[in-house]
Amino acid sequence: MTSAKRIIVALDFASEAQAVSLVERLDPTRCRLKVGKELFTRCGPAFVEALQLRGFDVFLDLKFHDIPNTVAGACAAAADLGVWMVNLHISGGAGMIQAARTRLDAMSSRPLLIGVTLLTSLSREDLIAVGCPGEPGERVVQLAALGHAAGLDGVVCSPLEAAAVRAAQGPDFRLVTPGVRPAGTSLGDQVRVMTPRDALAAGADDLVIGRPITAAKDPLAALQAIEDSLVD
Ligand code: C5P
């Protein structure tokens, strides 16, 4: 198993200074970075550009969900920013995904377009309450199929659903999995987790890992230990 850039470090920080103090210690040849809604809303596109100037691939995790024209425009803006990966909610529908993909395909270079299946924070009861009865795992597989047919390069899913999505969508569909915890580390608020090695074995391509690295006393050592755990 290879560990080359399989890890995306989630920069879940409330300030640019906190994020930079970690980023300064990370190596862009060994990991990628995820910028989510909190950091992006505080620091904006300039911060993403600064990360890219340091050589990092950036996953812009803004989970777009709006009418097709708006999402297509937002994806085009992400492409202009030069990000490596961008995402949207598959529940926005096939038309929204197709519009985003069509707009990106018209650009000279484009980010990977990834769909969020189900938020792992939603319980079966939450899903019933918003009109989506059934098994969450089956719904993830169904949403991944819809997203793939509409033009996604891959999906975000729990590592526990990775094997089923991989089996249904084949080897060329990218699976991005949060909910990853090295053996012996704190779960935090994650409930259904897998170790990095098990997540890759289940079919994950990219491992989104936040606190096991960002909250470690020595983040570089934590990253190194995760990489070591992936190598045969
Ligand atoms: O700190 P931790 O490793 O739990 O961080 C996981 C990252 O993945 C966070 O940025 C979180 O928002 C994100 N995420 C998640 N579950 C999802 C989708 C995204 O944990 N279903």
Side-chain angles (χ1 to χ4, degrees):
M1 228 182 269
T2 170
S3 66
K5 288 231 230 180
R6 298 288 208 127
I7 296 168
I8 303 174
V9 179
L11 294 181
D12 292 322
F13 293 108
S15 77
E16 181 167 342
Q18 286 174 305
V20 167
S21 74
L22 173 70
V23 168
E24 279 173 341
R25 305 176 65 193
L26 296 175
D27 178 350
T29 67
R30 286 172 54 188
C31 64
R32 296 180 163 116
L33 301 176
K34 180 171 89 69
V35 174
K37 289 186 170 97
E38 182 178 10
L39 200 55
F40 189 78
T41 303
R42 286 192 189 280
C43 305
F47 181 65
V48 171
E49 281 167 348
L51 296 175
Q52 294 174 157
L53 281 173
R54 289 176 185 264
F56 287 98
D57 294 331
V58 174
F59 170 18
L60 189 62
D61 178 22
L62 298 182
K63 299 186 179 71
F64 298 136
H65 188 174
D66 211 311
I67 59 171
N69 186 56
T70 301
V71 168
C75 288
D80 283 337
L81 189 52
V83 301
W84 162 71
M85 178 182 278
V86 67
N87 63 357
L88 45 68
H89 273 285
I90 298 174
S91 56
M96 183 196 77
I97 298 167
Q98 284 160 356
R101 179 63 195 256
T102 300
R103 185 77 73 90
L104 289 177
D105 281 343
M107 303 183 75
S108 54
S109 68
R110 71 169 181 91
L112 291 166
L113 184 62
I114 300 294
V116 176
T117 51
L118 280 186
L119 293 173
T120 46
S121 53
L122 294 175
S123 67
R124 186 193 302 244
E125 290 69 37
D126 291 327
L127 290 168
I128 291 169
V130 294
C132 302
E135 278 300 318
E138 286 171 19
R139 194 155 179 84
V140 167
V141 170
Q142 177 198 348
L143 285 165
L146 183 156
H148 197 179
L152 291 180
D153 297 300
V155 291
V156 180
C157 64
S158 158
L160 291 127
E161 288 137 7
V165 177
R166 172 67 66 221
Q169 300 307 321
D172 298 329
F173 197 56
R174 195 150 191 141
L175 304 187
V176 181
T177 62
V180 177
R181 285 291 177 272
T185 58
S186 164
L187 294 191
D189 52 2
Q190 297 282 7
V191 181
R192 299 165 66 231
V193 301
M194 265 196 198
T195 66
R197 190 182 175 85
D198 288 347
L200 290 189
D205 294 294
D206 302 285
L207 307 173
V208 176
I209 304 179
R211 287 159 293 180
I213 295 171
T214 58
K217 281 203 186 86
D218 185 343
L220 265 194
L223 176 61
Q224 180 70 54
I226 295 169
E227 287 174 343
D228 291 347
S229 78
L230 302 179
V231 177
D232 285 322

